Amino acid sequence: MTVRSILIYGDPRLQAPNSPVDEFGSELEEFVDDLFETGWRAPGLGLAAPQVGVNLQVATIDVSVGKDPAARRVLVNPTIVWSDGSATVEEGCLSFPGLYTSLVRPRRLRVRAQDAAGEWWEETVSDLLAQAVCHELDHLAGTLIVDHLRGLKRQVFLRRVARARKLGVWPRSS
Ligand code: ZN
């Protein structure tokens, strides 16, 4: 497993289109392992392929951050079948180190995806796991947390981004 470097907001690969995966097997499995390893190391609850510069429909989620193998989810070519309810949640992103914002997410949803071997799976998830699924699927659509913010809230968030960059708190995007 290889820990990959995580792209920081401003890198165009974070907002580029992500192609569907049509080849499954050992290469994809190794990449998925890298995503988990990179996410655990960060640490974060999930990681999407474009965050390591790979523009494919692949993401991993592990809300236990490496503690519970049963918490691991591999999402290849994922879609949300339905979603239900709404909750205001605090959310961060490994591509915006140290920044958090509140936004609205569904409380419950059903996700359908393939695993690294190409097997389809479906699951109804709620609360933190539902939030994580939404967050990673957003990445696969090129949508970042800042894209959910409007008006003054967006301006304040972007000012915090600028300050983090200026202070050198954020690593430079390669
Ligand atoms: Zn993120």
Side-chain angles (χ1 to χ4, degrees):
M1 284 193 251
T2 313
V3 174
R4 308 214 179 192
S5 42
I6 297 173
L7 303 183
I8 302 301
Y9 176 59
D11 191 296
R13 289 171 285 181
L14 288 171
Q15 286 161 302
N18 295 295
S19 308
V21 173
D22 54 15
E23 275 183 57
F24 297 86
S26 57
E27 203 175 316
L28 182 63
E29 277 159 23
E30 278 169 35
F31 177 61
V32 162
D33 286 346
D34 288 357
L35 284 182
F36 275 121
E37 190 71 31
T38 307
W40 295 332
R41 196 66 65 89
L45 304 184
L47 196 61
Q51 289 182 282
V52 297
V54 176
N55 287 114
L56 289 174
Q57 293 285 329
V58 182
T60 55
I61 293 174
D62 179 0
V63 295
S64 83
V65 197
K67 291 196 186 80
D68 177 12
R72 293 175 204 172
R73 300 287 183 284
V74 176
L75 299 98
V76 180
N77 301 327
T79 52
I80 289 174
V81 182
W82 54 255
S83 65
D84 193 25
S86 68
T88 302
V89 293
E90 276 291 300
E91 198 160 307
C93 176
L94 294 175
S95 295
F96 293 80
L99 296 190
Y100 295 85
T101 185
S102 60
L103 46 89
V104 176
R105 293 292 193 190
R107 234 176 242 290
R108 223 160 61 101
L109 58 85
R110 186 159 181 86
V111 59
R112 173 175 158 79
Q114 284 166 287
D115 64 18
E119 291 296 317
W120 285 99
W121 59 274
E122 269 192 46
E123 186 181 2
T124 300
V125 296
S126 57
D127 302 316
L128 184 61
L129 189 49
Q131 182 185 352
V133 167
C134 287
H135 185 97
E136 300 315 327
L137 266 73
D138 268 359
H139 273 298
L140 299 183
T143 300
L144 302 171
I145 49 175
V146 64
D147 299 318
H148 286 279
L149 308 179
R150 297 285 174 266
L152 183 62
K153 201 170 166 186
R154 182 182 168 90
Q155 285 174 36
V156 168
F157 189 81
L158 287 172
R159 220 173 291 147
R160 288 161 63 205
V161 166
R163 191 164 56 220
R165 281 216 182 94
K166 194 173 160 202
L167 295 176
V169 182
W170 279 12
R172 281 190 192 284
S173 248
S174 49

